[in-house]
Each structure stands twice: as structure tokens, then as C-alpha cells.
């Protein structure tokens, strides 16, 4: 007689919310049952001797955790103490725990997670319910914390990126001028104008797309359009022109071809690359006219920011596309962008991923003082 293998708790949620390539991390005495392949995806389990998730994720584990499972960890609050930086930086996307993991401190667990912007849910009787406060009905169940970048995609069903008219004032940003690297056809112009920006510099690498961009804003004295491929240095590089032009990149597509198999490489052309400071200087553009930098360059964000150098000191805010999985070869991930901008005095204050788990936009604002 065959016995059906019991379903691991939370597995239906993981299948619903995570792409197959995402990685689980399990902590506690029950971690082994997640690492034997039963979850249908890769799962990592830190050694019981690990000093804490923050310390483990630095030199050994992933810098970003897609889904964290507490399974017999003993003291959930203590575990969260050891993951303080991961939670503060919202580098844990989903966190699941049975109510029994709370050790009678469910309210404290909720408060700790909500303080970092996480939304809490309970999965009981096959229903997922949003919980502004911890339940007190004694029904138990599985609890799930969700990072704010996923809210629109999973629960609001709102497929849209940042609205700067609302976002900038919330974080004390008053845009004078905006530099947008990777402009495509300037679709963000209305969004920028509504936010109060009086001048916009659009930079587009693809000559064919640039022709459309330039024609669109011909005669608009508030907009400057430049055809240039911005990177960390001057030189020449291969540019992958994709069937959906907004996915074109200086980097070769890798994971992007899996996430969006219908978007393919049409052709590869060669372009001249320049750093942003060099580009501004060569066109006589004063950096002081712009206090917001926007980057939508399909994986080149880290190179562009590295090439900015001291120019970053003149920006009050940076809004950039970030990746949580490698979509283009050598692109770097969100944590790598953090490293650069944190070192230049910025804090990451908002993220959104309305279209797919693997990428989104992030807003960084200059640290006070």
C-alpha cells in the first residue's frame, strides 16, 4: 500500500508566488525536509552553528533570500535578531512560520516585521487572509510576511511602476531636473513632468530607437535627447537589440530569455560607450541642473553608477531598475547597487516589482546630513 507524502506547509503558496528558479532558505531542526527536493526547487539550510542569517548571508549564503522558512528554529524572535540587516534592507522577500514558532510572542513577531514594511498574512483552512494585527482566535495556521515590493503584483493587481508625483514628496525629493539613462521613447516624461521636474535629459543607446525619441520631443525646450551608450568607461561594446526594444542591453541576455522567452535577440550592433560625467561635459550640460538620476538600462545599472564617480554627490535621489536574479550576463544584483549607492550617502527607501519577481525599480534618497 502506498502512502501519500504529506504536503509541506506553505508549498502551495510558494508555487503560486515564486518562479521555479527562486531559492528557499530553511532554518531550524525541520530544515532537512525542505532540502531533500520535496519542495521542487533548490533549498539552502545554514549550519546550526551559523551565528545568524546576517553573518551567514555575507560570506557564505545568498545576499538576497527569496523565501525564508522557520521550521523548528526554537526562538523565532532571536532568529529575527540575527537577520536584522536583511529585514531592514528588505532582502527577504517572503518569510513563513507556523504559529507554534512564535513561542507565545506572535504579536512581537508581527510588530518586528511590520516595522520594516512587511505585510502579514495567515494561511489557514486553505484561505489566505491579510492580518493587520495577529489573530487571537487560537486557530493556529501558517503565517507569511511579504516584502512591500510584491504588494502591487500579488495583491493589488496593479501593474505600474513608481508614480513620482506621490513618491518624491513622501521622501522629501523636489526634482529640478532629471537625467534618464535608457530612455527608450521617453514614456516616463509625463510622470516626470507631473512630479514637478522642469528639465529632462533623455539618453538612449539604440540609434533606431533614438530617432523616434528625438522626433517625439522636437521643439520641446524642456527636454534634451542624446544618443549614447552610458557605461563605466569610454570604449566600444556589443549591444543586443531585442525584439522588444525596451529589453535591449549592452549586456548579453541570460535569465531574461527564460523569464520572457517570447523576447529574443534580433541583432547585435556595436556602439560607443561613455561615462555619464564625460557625456555631460562633452555636450556642455551643467550637472547642477539635474538633481535626480533615473536608470533603466537592462542590467547596466552597476556599470553606469560606477562610472558616475563623484557626480553622484550632486543628486538628491536615484531611481533605478534593479535585478534579484541575473537577467543579463554580469549585470549584478540589487545588493550590488546598494553597495555603490550606500557608499555615496544614499538610503534605499522604496522598491516595487509589479511585473515579475526577478526585477523591479528602487528609489534611493540622499541620507540627511
Amino acid at each position: 500500500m502506498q502512502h501519500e507524502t504529506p504536503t509541506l506547509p506553505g508549498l502551495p503558496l510558494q508555487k503560486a508566488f515564486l518562479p521555479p528558479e527562486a531559492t528557499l532558505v530553511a532554518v531550524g531542526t525541520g530544515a532537512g525536509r525542505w532540502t531533500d527536493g520535496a519542495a521542487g526547487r533548490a533549498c539552502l539550510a545554514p549550519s546550526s552553528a551559523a551565528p545568524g542569517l546576517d553573518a551567514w548571508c555575507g560570506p557564505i549564503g545568498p545576499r538576497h533570500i527569496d523565501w525564508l522558512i522557520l521550521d523548528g528554529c526554537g526562538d523565532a524572535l532571536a532568529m529575527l535578531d540575527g537577520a536584522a540587516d536583511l529585514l531592514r534592507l528588505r532582502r527577504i522577500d517572503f518569510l513563513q512560520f507556523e504559529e507554534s514558532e512564535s513561542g507565545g510572542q506572535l504579536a512581537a513577531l508581527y510588530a518586528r516585521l511590520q516595522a520594516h514594511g512587511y505585510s502579514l498574512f495567515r494561511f489557514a483552512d486553505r484561505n489566505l487572509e491579510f492580518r493587520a494585527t495577529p489573530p487571537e482566535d487560537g486557530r493556529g495556521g501558517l503565517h507569511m510576511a511579504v516584502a512591500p515590493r510584491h504588494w502591487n503584483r500579488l495583491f493589488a493587481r496593479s501593474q505600474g511602476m513608481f508614480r513620482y508625483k506621490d513618491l518624491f514628496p513622501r521622501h522629501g525629493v523636489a526634482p529640478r531636473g532629471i537625467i534618464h539613462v535608457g530612455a527608450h521613447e521617453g514614456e516616463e516624461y509625463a510622470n516626470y513632468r507631473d512630479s514637478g521636474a522642469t528639465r529632462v535629459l533623455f539618453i538612449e543607446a539604440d540609434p533606431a530607437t533614438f530617432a523616434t525619441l528625438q522626433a517625439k520631443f522636437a521643439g520641446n525646450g524642456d527636454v534634451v535627447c542624446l544618443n549614447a551608450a552610458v557605461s563605466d568607461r569610454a570604449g566600444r561594446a556589443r549591444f543586443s537589440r531585442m525584439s522588444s526594444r525596451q529589453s535591449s542591453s549592452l549586456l548579453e541576455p541570460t535569465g531574461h530569455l527564460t523569464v520572457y522567452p517570447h523576447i529574443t535577440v534580433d541583432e547585435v550592433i556595436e556602439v560607443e560607450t561613455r561615462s555619464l560625467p564625460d557625456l555631460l561635459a562633452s555636450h556642455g550640460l551643467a550637472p547642477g541642473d539635474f538633481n535626480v538620476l533615473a536608470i533603466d538600462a537592462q542590467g547596466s545599472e552597476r556599470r553606469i553608477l560606477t562610472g558616475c564617480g563623484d557626480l553622484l554627490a550632486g543628486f538628491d535621489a536615484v531611481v533605478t531598475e534593479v535585478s534579484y536574479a541575473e537577467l543579463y550576463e554580469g549585470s549584478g544584483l540589487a545588493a550590488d547597487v546598494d553597495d555603490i549607492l550606500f557608499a555615496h550617502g544614499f538610503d534605499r527607501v522604496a522598491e516595487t516589482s509589479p511585473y515579475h519577481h526577478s526585477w523591479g525599480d528602487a528609489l534611493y534618497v540622499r541620507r540627511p546630513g
Side-chain angles (χ1 to χ4, degrees):
M1 179 177 179
Q2 290 185 334
H3 296 278
E4 185 177 342
T5 302
T7 301
L8 290 167
L11 187 57
L13 298 177
Q14 294 159 19
K15 289 182 176 179
F17 294 155
L18 286 183
E21 63 273 12
T23 299
L24 310 180
V25 172
V27 177
T29 57
R33 61 179 178 157
W34 294 93
T35 61
D36 64 3
R41 64 179 81 241
C43 183
L44 304 175
S47 164
S48 58
L53 280 177
D54 283 338
W56 176 74
C57 281
I60 303 172
R63 299 187 68 194
H64 191 101
I65 296 175
D66 294 311
W67 195 292
L68 176 63
I69 303 158
L70 307 187
D71 193 345
C73 69
D75 188 338
L77 273 177
M79 193 289 304
L80 294 188
D81 287 339
D85 286 341
L86 287 167
L87 291 173
R88 176 178 60 84
L89 297 172
R90 296 176 294 281
R91 288 183 180 169
I92 300 172
D93 283 316
F94 298 88
L95 188 156
Q96 76 168 59
F97 56 93
E98 295 279 359
E99 193 160 318
S100 58
E101 296 284 342
S102 69
Q105 301 184 84
L106 188 61
L109 274 174
Y110 265 56
R112 180 78 59 85
L113 292 163
Q114 289 169 332
H116 294 294
Y118 285 81
S119 299
L120 274 296
F121 297 81
R122 179 173 66 170
F123 187 56
D125 300 327
R126 303 178 70 178
N127 291 314
L128 184 66
E129 58 177 350
F130 170 72
R131 299 293 314 187
T133 58
E136 299 179 352
D137 54 15
R139 291 167 55 205
L142 182 77
H143 296 261
M144 180 177 72
V146 182
R149 77 180 180 99
H150 298 289
W151 179 267
N152 282 351
R153 184 180 80 258
L154 298 179
F155 306 112
R157 302 298 182 187
S158 172
Q159 292 198 334
M161 304 305 278
F162 289 140
R163 291 185 61 206
Y164 301 119
K165 179 181 179 181
D166 302 325
L167 188 66
F168 284 163
R170 194 180 309 150
H171 297 285
V173 177
R176 297 189 308 274
I178 297 176
I179 297 175
H180 185 137
V181 181
H184 192 243
E185 296 177 1
E187 291 89 344
E188 289 286 357
Y189 180 64
N191 200 3
Y192 294 153
R193 184 189 57 207
D194 290 346
S195 75
T198 57
R199 194 175 191 196
V200 178
L201 169 59
F202 282 130
I203 305 171
E204 170 55 40
D206 188 333
T209 303
F210 175 76
T212 302
L213 173 72
Q214 188 176 43
K216 181 176 181 178
F217 292 100
N220 187 331
D222 296 327
V223 177
V224 176
C225 299
L226 298 179
N227 181 205
V230 180
S231 188
D232 56 345
R233 69 193 72 182
R236 298 196 67 79
R238 290 162 57 87
F239 182 86
S240 295
R241 181 178 282 162
M242 308 293 285
S243 57
S244 174
R245 295 294 189 255
Q246 286 180 302
S247 298
S248 299
S249 176
L250 283 171
L251 306 179
E252 183 177 347
T254 52
H256 193 282
L257 299 174
T258 300
V259 174
Y260 300 106
H262 59 287
I263 300 177
T264 57
V265 179
D266 271 357
E267 61 179 320
V268 177
I269 62 175
E270 191 173 83
V271 296
E272 181 181 352
T273 63
R274 307 177 73 173
S275 70
L276 186 56
D278 177 54
L279 183 66
L280 296 180
S282 66
H283 287 273
L285 295 168
D289 290 343
F290 307 94
N291 68 326
V292 175
L293 173 62
I295 305 175
D296 187 2
Q298 306 303 306
S300 295
E301 296 80 20
R302 180 172 59 172
R303 296 186 183 190
I304 292 167
L305 290 169
T306 299
C308 283
D310 293 339
L311 182 66
L312 288 173
F315 295 115
D316 295 326
V318 175
V319 57
T320 179
E321 187 172 88
V322 291
S323 298
Y324 301 92
E326 187 186 82
L327 301 179
Y328 296 86
E329 185 175 3
S331 61
L333 302 180
D336 300 308
V337 174
D338 283 352
D339 290 343
I340 297 170
L341 289 174
F342 291 173
H344 282 272
F346 291 88
D347 286 329
R348 176 163 43 80
V349 296
E351 315 87 33
T352 186
S353 294
Y355 298 108
H356 194 269
H357 178 91
S358 63
W359 65 277
D361 277 356
L363 173 66
Y364 297 79
V365 172
R366 180 157 299 285
R367 210 171 291 135

